[in-house]
Amino acid sequence: MKKKLSIILSGTLILGGLLAGCGGDKTPEANDANKPQTEAPAGDVKVGEYKDGTYFAQGEMNEKSGWQSNVTLKVESGKITDVDWNATNIKAGPDKKTVSESGEYGMKAGGAQAEWHEQAEKAEQFLIEKQDPKAITVNDEGKTDAISGVSISVDEFAELAQKALQAGPTEAGPYKDGAYHAEGEMDANSGWKSTVDLTVVNGKVVAAYFSGVNAAGEDKQDFSKEGKYGMKEKGGAQAEWHEQVQKAQQFFLENQGVGSVSFNDEGKTDGISGVSIGVQEYFKLAEKALEGAK
């Protein structure tokens, strides 16, 4: 896995995206002792009576930070025995804990009392001790005084833990957790080399990023978002390149692969609504990336 991570982190644009995603937590935390505390949402599952198994819940993508939180719980003999609070990046690749552990997230450099993964681990341990997400009381900013040494927002952690318990146990997927990367050959005509980055949690792909890189090291999705690709303006396309490839990404996540979609000789498909570009190579690269996850 370390080899896979080193490949991903070597890309300056992807690394830049990861660093940009952590800006919100770099500001030194304010003293919230006098702010009102509220309970996390109540659930209909009883403490100590959880069904044995693995539980998982994922939040919404935070477009500002670039991170999407998730919580994985393990229950044995009716009690929570293991908690993993983490997040995946908008560009997939290494998870938030891995980025924090490597020093790239840099909360202490921004004035925080501890790195993100260190604070997350304290929140996880608190939940194991209390066995109840409702024990994590939060203020209007989503922060808590209930957990010593934790100044980051924990409201989403509590909400996702409760959501996971309410949903019940889920089966783990077939892959090893981690970050996976694959890339194609440089296309002499287009000047782009296709790239795929995936993140696996609880054995399933929970984040995917289909993009590309040119000789200048520019990221193809970013290039399109900035209006430089100009598919609508220059070619009369129904949507810009990044908008279409993101639909292919979402299809991949929902189906955990290509599903029943077929492709023509140009690598295009009628099976994904709103996608007229060739995307077959991305599904092949995703399959290649996951070879190391089996």
Side-chain angles (χ1 to χ4, degrees):
M1 175 175 168
K2 293 182 179 296
K3 181 177 180 181
K4 296 290 184 183
L5 293 177
S6 65
I7 294 173
I8 300 170
L9 290 173
S10 65
T12 57
L13 284 169
I14 295 177
L15 180 57
L18 294 172
L19 294 174
C22 66
D25 282 332
K26 285 190 174 183
T27 304
E29 311 295 346
N31 185 351
D32 300 310
N34 297 321
K35 293 185 179 294
Q37 301 283 312
T38 59
E39 287 189 347
D44 54 6
V45 288
K46 294 183 179 180
V47 177
E49 297 182 9
Y50 306 128
K51 293 181 180 179
D52 288 5
T54 300
Y55 296 71
F56 177 80
Q58 187 172 33
E60 298 295 324
M61 173 61 70
N62 185 320
E63 297 293 339
K64 183 177 180 180
S65 71
W67 293 103
Q68 184 174 14
S69 297
N70 63 72
V71 171
T72 305
L73 309 173
K74 290 185 179 179
V75 173
E76 297 176 341
S77 300
K79 294 185 177 181
I80 300 170
T81 58
D82 188 71
V83 179
D84 183 17
W85 175 24
N86 212 329
T88 55
N89 193 262
I90 196 170
K91 293 188 175 182
D95 58 72
K96 194 171 184 178
K97 276 186 176 177
T98 299
V99 175
S100 178
E101 290 167 356
S102 70
E104 299 295 341
Y105 200 75
M107 279 188 61
K108 289 183 72 174
Q113 58 184 315
E115 297 293 356
W116 187 87
H117 70 280
E118 296 171 325
Q119 298 193 47
E121 288 168 0
K122 291 184 178 181
E124 294 166 349
Q125 187 58 41
F126 182 86
L127 179 54
I128 292 174
E129 292 172 358
K130 299 297 183 181
Q131 291 290 304
D132 187 359
K134 296 191 297 296
I136 306 173
T137 54
V138 299
N139 62 27
D140 292 339
E141 295 181 346
K143 299 180 180 181
T144 185
D145 293 324
I147 311 174
S148 177
V150 176
S151 58
I152 58 176
S153 297
V154 296
D155 53 341
E156 190 173 24
F157 168 58
E159 291 166 2
L160 289 177
Q162 188 68 46
K163 180 180 178 181
L165 290 169
Q166 289 174 326
T170 180
E171 290 187 13
Y175 305 116
K176 297 176 184 177
D177 288 5
Y180 301 91
H181 174 84
E183 57 187 52
E185 299 294 329
M186 180 66 75
D187 188 309
N189 294 321
S190 70
W192 292 100
K193 175 169 62 175
S194 298
T195 62
V196 166
D197 289 280
L198 307 172
T199 311
V200 175
V201 178
N202 193 34
K204 298 178 182 178
V205 182
V206 296
Y209 190 66
F210 295 175
S211 193
V213 62
N214 61 15
E218 295 174 293
D219 179 89
K220 193 172 183 178
Q221 277 207 41
D222 290 342
F223 193 85
S224 177
K225 289 176 183 178
E226 292 167 3
K228 298 177 182 178
Y229 207 75
M231 280 187 61
K232 290 178 69 175
E233 179 182 353
K234 300 175 183 177
Q238 58 184 318
E240 296 294 355
W241 187 88
H242 68 280
E243 296 172 325
Q244 296 193 46
V245 83
Q246 285 173 3
K247 290 182 178 180
Q249 284 175 191
Q250 188 59 37
F251 181 91
F252 176 87
L253 290 174
E254 292 173 355
N255 293 274
Q256 291 293 291
V258 70
S260 59
V261 165
S262 59
F263 300 91
N264 62 23
D265 293 339
E266 296 179 333
K268 299 181 179 181
T269 181
D270 295 324
I272 307 177
S273 179
V275 177
S276 59
I277 60 175
V279 293
Q280 183 178 24
E281 183 182 16
Y282 290 102
F283 287 89
K284 288 183 176 180
L285 287 175
E287 184 177 353
K288 180 181 178 182
L290 289 172
E291 288 177 359
K294 297 177 181 178

